[in-house]
Structure formats: C-alpha cells, structure tokens
Amino acid sequence: MATLGKNLSFTSNKQEAFEGGTVFFICVHTPTKTQGLGKNEMHDLKYLKSCTRDIAAFFAAREMQEDIAIVEKSTVPPRTSTMVAELFSEAQIRFPTNRHRFCVLSNPEFLAEGVAVRDLTDPDRVILGAGSDPVSQAMLKVVQDLYATSVPRDKIICTQLFTSELAKLCSNAFLAQRVASINSLTPVCESLGIDIDQLAACVGSDSRIGSRYLKAGCGFGGSCLEKDLLALVYLASSLGHSETAEYWRGVYTMNEYHKKRLSATVVREMHGTLSGQKIAILGVAFKKNTNDCRGAASLTVVRELLQEGCEIHIFDYQAQRDHFVREYCSYLTDEILTEDQLARIQFHSSELSACQDAQAVVLLTEWDQFLSLDYSALYSVMRKPAYFFDCRCLLEQAALRQIGFKAFKLGFGF
Ligand code: UGA
C-alpha cells in the first residue's frame, strides 16, 4: 500500500519525478475536442502528447541503462500507443539505442467517481495491453507483478495493445447503452401503468443480463460515458463503418431525448405554464457522493425549465453554484446564460429553504440523505398544489401522495 513520505511523494518538478523511474503512468485528462476535426466527439490528446514529450525529452539527454515503460492510464482511442511510441522514438536523436529500450503499455482506468477506492482495492478486472516484443513483455510482467500485490492474478487480463485501448471505450459505451436502454422504457411503463423498477428486476434477474447498472434515472451524465461513447462513434465513422457509428449514436440520442422528456413532463403536468413560478431542484450532481456536475442531466433539465421562465432553486449536498454554472456554459456550448437566466438560478444551503414557496420539486440526484428527509416539512412550505417529480425512482410514491404531493415517479407516472 502507498504511504505518504515513504513510498508515495508528490512534486511539481518533472526532472525530480522522472529520475530513476522505470514505469511512467500517464494519467492526464483526455477531454472531448471542442474544435476542428472530430469536434464534440474525438478525444483531445494534447495533454497526453505534452506529457509524452516531457518523458521523451528527459530520456533524450541520457543513455538509458534499463528498460522503461510508458503506461497509458488515460482513456484514449485505439492506436494512441503508436503515436506515443513515435513521439518518444523520434526524440532519441543523441542516444538512438534508447529506441530499443522502451515500450508503451495500455492500462485503462475503470474507477467510478464516489466509489473509486472500492474499485481500486477490489476491481472487477485490471486490463494490461502490450506488444509482443521482448521489452514490452518484460515490462508487462513488471506492471503485472505490481498489481498482483493487491489484485488476484486471475483478475489481471493481459491482451494486445489496441484491444486494451478499445476495451475502455467499449466498456463505457456498453454501460451507457444499459442506462439508455432502461430509460428508453420509462415512457412505455408510464403509458401502461407499469413500474420500471419491477420491470428492471424481472429483466435483470436473468444472469445473462444481470441486475447491476439497470436503474432508471434522469439520464447518464458525468465526464466519461458520453465522452467515450461519442469517441466510439467517431472512431467507427472515421474507419468508414457508418452503420456501427449510427448504432452507437442511437444510445447518445436516446439519452439526450430522455433528459428533455423529463423536463417536458414537468412542464406538461404543470399545465404548460411555469412562468414566474419557483421550481426546487433536489440534487444537481451527476450522481450521489460527488460534487461533479460535468455532463449532468441537471444541466439540460435546468436549461429547459429556465426557458419556461421559472425560477430554479437548487439544493445539493456537495455541488456548488460556480461549478454548476461553469459546466452549464461549457456543456451546453450553444447556450450562454443571460443575466436574467443567471439571476433565476439560486443555490440554497438547506432542502427546506430551496422548497420555500416552490410549486414543484424535481429530484435529480439519488443522494442517500434524500431517503430520510422530512417531506411533510417540505410540503408545508410549498405552494399548493405541490408537485413532486422523482426522476431517480428513489422514494416511496405512496408516502409522498399520503403527505399531499401530486407525486410523479419516473417510469410509472402519477
Ligand atoms: C464511469 C464507469 O462506470 C467507470 O468504470 C469508468 O472508469 C469511468 O466512467 C471513467 O471512464 O473514468 P462514472 O462516470 O464515475 O464511471 O460513473 P457511473 O457510476 O458509471 O455513472 C454514470 C452515469 O450513469 C451517472 O449519471 C449515473 O447516475 C448513471 N447511472 C448509472 C444510471 O442512471 N443508472 C444506473 O443503473 C447506473
């Protein structure tokens, strides 16, 4: 285990960090490109390139005495390893033998926010991709042994480089597909008076399908699923496989539709008029146990509701106003928040204060704390009739109704 000051240290001095190192993990952010070719779909590899150049420059000044590995931990499209290898190799002009003493390995990151430590100590699997040359195979063994100190060996999958790179994109695309699939059935359930949770339990009880990651909600968000899904769309399309690209784009389209359908449901059920009314939002983080609003469904829901002319009163246990507003402007790139809209977004330090005089509550994040709130108290400070839109299928609808709410549960209806 890593211990600060013993076998774990931090520095902002690259030279110091690289000195004596044999395995270099590149863990930088690879966001979606915001301009040029592949805009809004392709990964932007500028940080990864710059990091590779730094490592290459460090070794270009000395003759390597032992083999080294550059490990891609960042999420990257397949064949990025070739680019990393080229960048490194081309820099080794003074000591050309260095070119035969390094390799690039792939070791994609599968940690999820909020449960990162659990995923680290008890991962489903660790994937390691390597070339077949002797240096790659030797360094693969080094990294494999490193993981084997805390992860059972049968959970460490060694595969080819490009397979490992693609596996990360596909894993996130499959996760996105599951969420989109269950959410796509919520309007069907609402029309038929069927409970989506019960449907998911029936479908997920088939071990081939599995019960995890089948919870209906307000649409997948965060900085990873959508990014990697769209990178897969771009990859398929750039390889000329337009049907594959369109198939996966369908998952993205479903998610976009789902978020807008939720806000449209709120507007429709409140008789199409929200202007001048207060809407309380419980939770804006993209999921519980994080303050992260990147790509959160709340960004879309708030935008759609703002366009109806209402006031938005937000409460979240961790998400902060500045971060939310920043993400709103960068995620919805076509949307600049006007002064008027900005003034209509207010953050509160308590659930009760967010609900004061509100006409409706829209629950968007599945915080555990929301399970034990005093909803009678919230109801008592709200305007009547008071609506409750549970977009995470979190609460007992009957209990909310008992209090007096007009309670909507996603994937069931009223
Ligand atoms: C995701 C993957 O789960 C990780 O394995 C991966 O390493 C990470 O992306 C990454 O690429 O770095 P993360 O984005 O942190 O992790 O969060 P998830 O727990 O996967 O949730 C993503 C979204 O799907 C959230 O908005 C969540 O609320 C939603 N979701 C998830 C559902 O609506 N229903 C579910 O059943 C599960």
Side-chain angles (χ1 to χ4, degrees), residues 110-111 113 168 172 213-215 221 224 286-287 392:
F110 291 106
L111 307 183
E113 277 187 44
K168 171 63 195 271
N172 273 355
Y213 227 84
L214 217 49
K215 180 75 180 161
C224 307
F286 84 100
K287 64 175 185 177
R392 283 284 187 171

Side-chain angles (χ1 to χ4, degrees), residues 10-65:
F10 293 83
T11 175
S12 53
N13 180 329
K14 291 175 202 165
Q15 194 84 7
E16 204 178 292
F18 296 162
E19 201 66 60
T22 49
V23 181
F24 296 80
F25 288 90
I26 299 190
C27 314
V28 295
H29 189 30
T30 49
T32 303
K33 276 183 80 173
T34 52
Q35 56 188 17
L37 187 73
K39 178 183 172 190
N40 294 336
E41 288 185 347
M42 198 179 173
H43 287 116
D44 187 341
L45 300 178
K46 68 180 171 205
Y47 304 119
L48 185 118
K49 276 188 172 179
S50 127
C51 202
T52 305
R53 283 204 174 94
D54 285 344
I55 301 169
F58 175 81
F59 284 105
R62 52 187 54 70
E63 185 157 21
M64 286 163 59
Q65 301 305 316

